[in-house]
Amino acid sequence: MADISVRGRIALRAAAAASWASQRAGRGKGSMIGGLIALRIDKTIMDQLGRGRRTVLVTGTNGKSTTTRMTTAALSTLGEVATQADGANMDAGIVAALSAHRGVELAAIEVDELHLPHVTDALNPAAVVLLNLSRDQLDRVGEINMIERKLRAGLARHPDAVVIANCDDVLVTSIAYDHPNVVWVAAGSGWSIDATSCPRSGEPILWEGEHWRSTGADFERPEPNWWLDGDDLVGPDAQRFPLKLALPGRANRGNAAQAVAAAIALGADPAAAVTATGTVREIAGRYRTVQVGEHAARLLLAKNPAGWQEALSMIEPTSAGLVIAVNGQVPDGEDLSWLWDVRFEHFEGVQVVASGERATDLAVRLTYAGVEHTTVPNPLRAIASCPAGHVEVLANYTAFRDLNRDLEAKS
């Protein structure tokens, strides 16, 4: 690993002291405050911490944390891997993760899509994983085609990086289409509302089964190098590997496919990488099942329309109840108009409870969707109001965070 400058060493010592103080004060692990202080003292500290590493960056609107965890597992077949334990995917969290793993030559780093261009410049990654791109919180992120153009320009500055791109996502394909070094993965796309028009010409996208093409530009779905076929992951030269995951959902199979492709790009054995992705069981509390009185509650997280649609597809139809918890704090996006883009119309036979700080807004949406429901703002009480047995709990960011905090307080 490269040497850290004198200023950089001062920044890291100050960061370590701030993290220690935060932990002593009972304010969490202190990694974020440590990263913020390190960057304030030395703006180049991320660049310095990244030198000498073989790094994979993982970004997209949905699935970043899961894919980063799977990529870490797959890369671990080659050696120790630096990564974020808590999914902190902006500059301070990335600096904290890299400083906590000094001397580790492999890294799998989750990156917020808005931060990808400058993080790529700082870390000069060996590979970049592009999962998907769809509308997020408009009051924080902005217009989606502008994001696509910024990511495309950022990747153009790094022609040597291997780009692992989802060819089923039109916007992701546009980002990677002109890049000289792409591994295309048919990872699936359950959300195409934000890709009805070509990001390059503005003309309609024509879908013909799995294939799509622009009607106004020389731009179409590339042939994938990796794809899913039933229970198998299929790669170059018709290599076929059974893909057995502990995590549910079609989207997670696509995430695993891209994680495997990224690890292979850095030299991992394909069979070992595939097996390793199956060891991932939960990500920062997501997908875990907790006992709450007479209820076995499975916790799912969703943060934007595409993520909500995918999470709703994982709901077990024989569940005793479904608690949907929605907050509208700044990290969630205070504008909840996206609720009207999500299809809530298919929960016949499941007792649905609207919950969270914005339970009333959600209840209005469920009413228009024709979903019978009750309204219980407190998520723990909402779970308790369901019949005994398995309960699905689907929450957005701060509702999920607060519910986990309340569950820990009860344990």
Side-chain angles (χ1 to χ4, degrees), residues 70-201:
M70 288 179 168
T71 302
T72 300
L75 284 176
S76 293
T77 62
L78 298 174
E80 186 179 354
V81 183
T83 193
Q84 303 108 310
D86 54 4
N89 58 27
M90 299 184 190
D91 293 12
I94 293 168
V95 166
L98 294 175
S99 63
H101 297 85
R102 298 276 299 279
V104 176
E105 295 185 1
L106 293 170
I109 299 296
E110 175 184 342
V111 186
D112 180 271
E113 55 268 34
L114 292 178
H115 290 238
L116 182 68
H118 72 260
V119 172
T120 304
D121 291 342
L123 298 184
N124 193 27
V128 178
V129 177
L130 300 176
L131 298 170
N132 46 65
L133 196 60
S134 65
R135 225 172 331 135
D136 210 331
Q137 303 118 15
L138 290 175
D139 52 349
R140 182 184 78 86
V141 177
E143 194 270 327
I144 196 65
N145 283 344
M146 177 191 69
I147 307 298
E148 184 274 325
R149 290 190 293 271
K150 287 183 177 180
L151 297 191
R152 194 195 316 175
L155 275 186
R157 298 194 292 269
H158 298 272
D160 293 334
V162 179
V163 177
I164 315 298
N166 179 5
C167 64
D168 291 327
D169 188 290
V170 173
L171 290 165
V172 159
T173 300
S174 182
I175 294 168
Y177 206 63
D178 304 315
H179 197 274
N181 198 3
V182 184
V183 175
W184 296 106
V185 180
S189 177
W191 182 266
S192 58
I193 292 175
D194 297 316
T196 55
S197 62
C198 174
R200 295 177 168 231
S201 70

Side-chain angles (χ1 to χ4, degrees), residues 47 99 132 137 150 176 187 200 210 217 238 242 245 257 264 287 344:
D47 307 53
S99 63
N132 46 65
Q137 303 118 15
K150 287 183 177 180
R200 295 177 168 231
E210 292 183 344
L245 300 183
I264 292 171
Y287 307 109
F344 286 104

Side-chain angles (χ1 to χ4, degrees), residues 24-42:
R24 292 279 296 188
R27 296 187 175 183
K29 297 179 181 178
S31 58
M32 287 297 292
I33 187 63
L36 287 168
I37 287 175
L39 284 164
R40 182 65 62 89
I41 295 172
D42 188 344

Side-chain angles (χ1 to χ4, degrees), residues 267-308:
D269 173 74
V274 170
T275 299
T277 61
T279 64
V280 177
R281 298 189 173 277
E282 67 173 71
I283 297 90
R286 305 172 204 180
Y287 307 109
R288 68 177 177 137
T289 298
V290 295
Q291 196 68 32
V292 184
E294 298 179 324
H295 307 89
R298 183 172 68 153
L299 309 184
L300 301 173
L301 171 69
K303 295 178 283 188
N304 47 63
W308 275 86

Side-chain angles (χ1 to χ4, degrees), residues 311-323:
L312 286 166
S313 73
M314 299 180 192
I315 300 301
E316 174 55 55
T318 60
S319 298
L322 167 62
V323 173

Side-chain angles (χ1 to χ4, degrees), residues 203-224:
E203 296 301 314
I205 291 289
L206 179 64
W207 289 82
E208 299 163 333
E210 292 183 344
H211 188 76
W212 55 261
R213 62 180 176 84
S214 170
T215 56
D218 183 16
F219 175 59
E220 63 181 341
R221 180 183 187 263
E223 286 297 317

